[in-house]
Amino acid sequence: METQLIKPVSSALDRLPPGQVALSTEGPLTGRRADLARDIEVLQVASARPASTALRRLLFVWLRIYVNERKAGGSWERVDLRLPIPIPLLGALLRRRMGSGAALQALARIEQSGDTGAALARQVDAFTGFELIRVEESHPEKGKASLVVIGID
Protein backbone atom coordinates (compact mmCIF):
# COMPACT_ATOMS: atom_id res chain seq x y z
CA MET A 1 0.00 0.00 0.00
CA GLU A 2 1.41 3.38 -0.97
CA THR A 3 1.41 6.36 1.31
CA GLN A 4 1.73 9.96 0.30
CA LEU A 5 3.75 12.14 2.62
CA ILE A 6 2.13 15.48 3.18
CA LYS A 7 4.16 18.63 3.67
CA PRO A 8 2.85 20.33 6.84
CA VAL A 9 1.15 23.39 5.37
CA SER A 10 -0.91 24.22 8.42
CA SER A 11 0.13 25.30 11.89
CA ALA A 12 -2.21 22.60 13.24
CA LEU A 13 -0.37 19.97 11.21
CA ASP A 14 2.93 21.16 12.69
CA ARG A 15 1.78 19.70 16.04
CA LEU A 16 1.99 16.16 14.66
CA PRO A 17 5.08 14.14 15.53
CA PRO A 18 7.59 13.90 12.63
CA GLY A 19 6.70 11.17 10.16
CA GLN A 20 3.07 10.96 11.27
CA VAL A 21 1.77 13.37 8.63
CA ALA A 22 0.92 10.69 6.12
CA LEU A 23 -2.37 9.45 4.75
CA SER A 24 -2.77 6.44 2.54
CA THR A 25 -3.33 7.27 -1.13
CA GLU A 26 -5.96 4.53 -1.23
CA GLY A 27 -9.27 6.20 -0.43
CA PRO A 28 -10.96 5.51 2.91
CA LEU A 29 -14.30 4.75 1.31
CA THR A 30 -13.21 2.95 -1.84
CA GLY A 31 -11.71 -0.06 -0.10
CA ARG A 32 -11.35 -1.66 3.29
CA ARG A 33 -8.11 -0.53 4.89
CA ALA A 34 -6.41 -1.56 8.08
CA ASP A 35 -5.01 1.93 8.54
CA LEU A 36 -8.32 3.82 8.45
CA ALA A 37 -8.16 4.14 12.25
CA ARG A 38 -4.64 5.57 11.92
CA ASP A 39 -5.81 8.13 9.35
CA ILE A 40 -8.64 9.17 11.66
CA GLU A 41 -6.13 9.52 14.51
CA VAL A 42 -3.88 11.70 12.29
CA LEU A 43 -6.82 14.08 11.71
CA GLN A 44 -7.76 14.08 15.38
CA VAL A 45 -4.21 14.84 16.54
CA ALA A 46 -3.82 17.55 13.89
CA SER A 47 -7.11 19.19 14.90
CA ALA A 48 -6.39 19.09 18.66
CA ARG A 49 -6.43 22.48 20.33
CA PRO A 50 -3.61 23.40 22.73
CA ALA A 51 -4.21 23.84 26.46
CA SER A 52 -4.00 27.63 26.03
CA THR A 53 -7.13 27.48 23.85
CA ALA A 54 -8.97 25.53 26.56
CA LEU A 55 -8.02 28.19 29.13
CA ARG A 56 -9.07 31.01 26.81
CA ARG A 57 -12.42 29.30 26.30
CA LEU A 58 -13.16 29.63 30.02
CA LEU A 59 -13.62 33.39 29.47
CA PHE A 60 -14.39 33.82 25.77
CA VAL A 61 -15.79 31.83 22.89
CA TRP A 62 -15.10 32.95 19.35
CA LEU A 63 -17.58 33.17 16.53
CA ARG A 64 -15.46 31.91 13.66
CA ILE A 65 -16.08 32.32 9.94
CA TYR A 66 -13.68 30.34 7.76
CA VAL A 67 -13.71 30.58 3.96
CA ASN A 68 -11.26 28.82 1.64
CA GLU A 69 -11.92 29.28 -2.06
CA ARG A 70 -10.06 28.19 -5.18
CA LYS A 71 -10.38 30.65 -8.04
CA ALA A 72 -10.57 29.65 -11.70
CA GLY A 73 -6.85 30.39 -12.17
CA GLY A 74 -5.92 27.78 -9.55
CA SER A 75 -5.01 30.24 -6.78
CA TRP A 76 -6.48 29.88 -3.29
CA GLU A 77 -8.06 32.66 -1.23
CA ARG A 78 -8.47 32.11 2.51
CA VAL A 79 -10.40 34.18 5.07
CA ASP A 80 -10.37 33.23 8.77
CA LEU A 81 -12.41 35.74 10.77
CA ARG A 82 -12.66 35.34 14.55
CA LEU A 83 -14.92 37.51 16.71
CA PRO A 84 -14.61 37.19 20.52
CA ILE A 85 -17.83 36.75 22.48
CA PRO A 86 -17.47 37.14 26.27
CA ILE A 87 -19.46 34.12 27.48
CA PRO A 88 -17.64 32.55 30.45
CA LEU A 89 -17.44 28.76 30.79
CA LEU A 90 -19.41 27.91 27.62
CA GLY A 91 -16.19 27.20 25.76
CA ALA A 92 -15.21 24.53 28.29
CA LEU A 93 -17.96 22.34 26.78
CA LEU A 94 -16.56 22.53 23.23
CA ARG A 95 -14.60 19.69 21.66
CA ARG A 96 -10.82 19.95 21.78
CA ARG A 97 -10.32 17.80 18.67
CA MET A 98 -12.26 16.33 15.79
CA GLY A 99 -14.53 13.41 16.68
CA SER A 100 -14.25 10.05 14.89
CA GLY A 101 -17.36 10.66 12.77
CA ALA A 102 -16.21 14.13 11.73
CA ALA A 103 -12.74 12.74 10.94
CA LEU A 104 -14.25 10.00 8.76
CA GLN A 105 -16.32 12.60 6.87
CA ALA A 106 -13.19 14.75 6.48
CA LEU A 107 -11.29 11.75 5.06
CA ALA A 108 -14.08 11.27 2.51
CA ARG A 109 -13.83 14.95 1.49
CA ILE A 110 -10.03 14.66 1.27
CA GLU A 111 -10.40 11.62 -0.98
CA GLN A 112 -12.85 13.42 -3.27
CA SER A 113 -10.59 16.46 -3.65
CA GLY A 114 -7.71 14.54 -5.22
CA ASP A 115 -5.14 16.93 -3.65
CA THR A 116 -4.46 15.11 -0.39
CA GLY A 117 -2.00 17.53 1.24
CA ALA A 118 -3.93 20.74 0.62
CA ALA A 119 -7.28 19.08 1.40
CA LEU A 120 -5.96 17.77 4.72
CA ALA A 121 -4.75 21.26 5.67
CA ARG A 122 -8.11 22.80 4.70
CA GLN A 123 -10.10 20.28 6.77
CA VAL A 124 -7.88 20.77 9.84
CA ASP A 125 -7.81 24.57 9.52
CA ALA A 126 -11.60 24.68 9.17
CA PHE A 127 -12.21 22.63 12.34
CA THR A 128 -14.20 24.47 15.03
CA GLY A 129 -15.30 23.31 18.48
CA PHE A 130 -18.95 23.52 17.39
CA GLU A 131 -19.93 23.85 13.74
CA LEU A 132 -23.07 25.82 13.00
CA ILE A 133 -22.86 25.83 9.18
CA ARG A 134 -20.60 24.02 6.69
CA VAL A 135 -20.92 24.51 2.94
CA GLU A 136 -18.47 22.85 0.58
CA GLU A 137 -18.81 23.15 -3.19
CA SER A 138 -16.63 21.91 -5.99
CA HIS A 139 -16.84 22.76 -9.69
CA PRO A 140 -13.93 20.85 -11.30
CA GLU A 141 -15.06 21.80 -14.82
CA LYS A 142 -14.54 25.47 -13.91
CA GLY A 143 -11.51 24.86 -11.68
CA LYS A 144 -13.36 26.34 -8.69
CA ALA A 145 -13.96 25.05 -5.18
CA SER A 146 -15.05 26.63 -1.91
CA LEU A 147 -15.34 25.70 1.75
CA VAL A 148 -17.26 27.91 4.20
CA VAL A 149 -17.52 27.04 7.90
CA ILE A 150 -19.28 29.13 10.54
CA GLY A 151 -18.93 27.90 14.09
CA ILE A 152 -18.02 28.58 17.68
CA ASP A 153 -14.46 27.96 18.78
Side-chain angles (χ1 to χ4, degrees):
M1 178 177 300
E2 291 182 43
T3 58
Q4 179 179 9
L5 291 179
I6 299 166
K7 193 184 298 183
V9 293
S10 165
S11 60
L13 294 178
D14 291 337
R15 290 195 297 269
L16 286 169
Q20 194 175 3
V21 186
L23 292 178
S24 171
T25 54
E26 225 179 279
L29 303 179
T30 57
R32 302 207 185 274
R33 304 179 317 153
D35 57 357
L36 180 60
R38 186 192 55 78
D39 286 352
I40 289 173
E41 181 65 23
V42 166
L43 280 171
Q44 288 178 325
V45 169
S47 68
R49 300 291 189 230
S52 60
T53 299
L55 290 174
R56 186 247 323 143
R57 285 178 173 175
L58 291 175
L59 298 175
F60 288 92
V61 293
W62 298 76
L63 176 64
R64 184 168 176 222
I65 301 171
Y66 178 88
V67 178
N68 197 328
E69 188 171 16
R70 183 177 57 201
K71 302 293 182 180
S75 64
W76 285 92
E77 182 179 349
R78 182 175 160 230
V79 175
D80 195 358
L81 178 65
R82 298 168 193 241
L83 305 169
I85 303 172
I87 304 176
L89 303 178
L90 177 66
L93 303 174
L94 300 178
R95 295 179 295 183
R96 289 199 54 203
R97 68 182 202 167
M98 207 180 279
S100 298
L104 187 57
Q105 289 175 348
L107 283 172
R109 289 189 291 268
I110 290 167
E111 176 187 1
Q112 290 172 353
S113 78
D115 183 8
T116 307
L120 175 62
R122 282 191 302 276
Q123 295 301 320
V124 169
D125 285 343
F127 172 72
T128 61
F130 183 74
E131 255 181 36
L132 298 169
I133 298 172
R134 173 183 281 266
V135 178
E136 194 161 2
E137 294 180 334
S138 180
H139 302 284
E141 67 282 353
K142 296 178 183 178
K144 294 183 178 181
S146 65
L147 168 63
V148 176
V149 178
I150 299 175
I152 297 175
D153 196 25

